[in-house]
């Protein structure tokens, strides 16, 4: 079986879910498909919104001492929290990462779903998780973290796709090579990792963070108008929301 690697989910972190979730839903024309009670044991609440077949998740801590809370404190709330990939064999990707000195932080086993989360300090810039759902190689198939019927919540009248994730750091080429080695996708000369359904682009910046998400939308002006109406500061074709820059294009 050929190696299979797709971006499945981007997780942002916020001090509270409100108004981040309602802002994302309203501005980007997306619908919440699921709120997962299982994350309460980590001191978190969450909501997921499908962007075509990629999930956009926001988590918020509701008690002290959570990893997400420490992440907010450390970063001042700037930067995405986690990039989640679906693949054939999460354990193999985990072993490969361990051999590079990237530790496993958490293993999630809720059959038919199996996930391996890597340590953010070793990944650098954000958490990386690899997962696989048994019997769900179809990208529109079951994906338990997004709830039982996430497919019914996909909307494309405003936002059509999440096309790229921008990562930044002082040494973007080197960070791209590091992530590429973990994910098993060779970095191109212009510091990009190309997956079948999204591109990770690495650019120069002061600190290592997941800095921006790029979306293809039906009407750029309309999205920017809605963002302004919700009180967000719009510059060019972008605005800051949930700790990352949302960048929209046609």
């Amino acid at each position: 079986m050929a190696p299979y690697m797709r971006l499945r989910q981007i997780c942002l972190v916020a001090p509270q879910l409100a108004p981040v979730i309602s802002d994302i839903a309203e501005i980007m024309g997306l619908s919440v498909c699921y709120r997962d009670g299982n994350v309460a044991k980590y001191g978190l609440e969450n909501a997921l919104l499908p962007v075509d077949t990629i999930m956009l998740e926001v988590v918020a801590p509701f008690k002290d001492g959570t990893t997400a809370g420490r992440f907010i404190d450390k970063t001042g709330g700037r930067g995405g929290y986690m990039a989640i990939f679906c693949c054939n064999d999460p354990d193999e990707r985990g072993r490969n990462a361990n051999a590079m000195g990237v530790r496993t932080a958490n293993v999630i086993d809720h059959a038919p779903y199996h996930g391996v989360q890597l340590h953010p300090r070793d990944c650098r810039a954000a958490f990386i998780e690899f997962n696989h759902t048994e019997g769900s190689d179809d990208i529109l198939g079951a994906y338990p973290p997004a709830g039982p019927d996430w497919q019914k919540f996909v909307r494309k009248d405003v936002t059509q796709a999440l096309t790229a994730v921008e990562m930044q750091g002082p040494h973007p080429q080197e960070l791209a090579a590091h992530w590429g080695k973990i994910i098993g996708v060779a970095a191109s000369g212009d510091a990009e990792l190309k997956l079948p359904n999204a591109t990770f682009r690495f650019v120069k910046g002061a600190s290592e963070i997941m800095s921006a998400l790029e979306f293809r939308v039906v009407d750029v002006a309309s999205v920017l108008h809605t963002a302004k109406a919700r009180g967000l500061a719009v510059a060019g074709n972008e605005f800051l929301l949930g700790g990352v820059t949302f960048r929209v294009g046609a």
Side-chain angles (χ1 to χ4, degrees):
M1 194 179 197
Y4 172 83
M5 182 69 62
R6 294 179 79 102
L7 179 62
R8 185 80 250 213
Q9 193 171 327
I10 288 290
C11 178
L12 308 179
V13 65
Q16 294 93 25
L17 288 185
V20 176
I21 290 295
S22 54
D23 281 347
I24 292 173
E26 185 71 24
I27 295 165
M28 305 303 290
L30 301 172
S31 297
V32 171
C33 63
Y34 195 52
R35 295 173 189 266
D36 185 358
N38 287 319
V39 300
K41 63 174 178 277
Y42 303 114
L44 302 173
E45 52 181 352
N46 78 339
L48 292 96
L49 309 96
V51 184
D52 190 13
T53 57
I54 296 173
M55 300 299 145
L56 185 55
E57 178 187 16
V58 181
V59 301
F62 62 77
K63 64 179 194 188
D64 293 337
T66 64
T67 314
R70 286 193 293 274
F71 179 86
I72 293 172
D73 294 340
K74 187 178 120 222
T75 60
R78 179 76 173 105
Y81 187 51
M82 196 180 293
I84 298 174
F85 303 89
C86 55
C87 63
N88 303 93
D89 190 343
D91 292 319
E92 182 191 23
R93 294 307 327 159
R95 286 191 297 273
N96 168 75
N98 297 162
M100 291 170 55
V102 175
R103 293 164 289 175
T104 299
N106 193 21
V107 175
I108 304 156
D109 224 349
H110 291 304
Y113 171 89
H114 181 70
V116 175
Q117 290 179 349
L118 303 177
H119 202 294
R121 190 171 297 145
D122 302 338
C123 295
R124 296 160 48 195
F127 266 102
I128 291 173
E129 178 190 307
F130 297 109
N131 65 46
H132 182 75
T133 302
E134 204 56 52
S136 180
D137 293 320
D138 170 13
I139 198 72
L140 275 165
Y143 184 60
D149 52 1
W150 66 267
Q151 302 88 339
K152 293 178 187 162
F153 294 86
V154 175
R155 287 179 52 190
K156 294 193 182 174
D157 51 316
V158 179
T159 298
Q160 294 180 313
L162 196 172
T163 55
V165 179
E166 181 190 272
M167 312 292 291
Q168 69 176 37
H171 307 288
Q173 297 285 153
E174 190 262 333
L175 185 61
H178 179 67
W179 269 57
K181 212 169 158 193
I182 296 171
I183 295 164
V185 174
S188 67
D190 45 5
E192 287 188 348
L193 304 176
K194 289 189 192 316
L195 295 166
N197 64 338
T199 297
F200 277 70
R201 193 174 299 118
F202 294 76
V203 302
K204 198 162 180 67
S207 54
E208 294 187 337
I209 59 170
M210 183 194 291
S211 45
L213 303 176
E214 299 184 4
F215 298 88
R216 186 170 69 247
V217 300
V218 174
D219 184 340
V220 172
S222 169
V223 170
L224 297 173
H225 176 77
T226 309
K228 269 188 193 146
R230 299 281 299 190
L232 301 185
V234 173
N237 66 331
E238 56 187 50
F239 48 89
L240 192 65
L241 179 53
V244 297
T245 298
F246 278 56
R247 196 172 292 138
V248 294

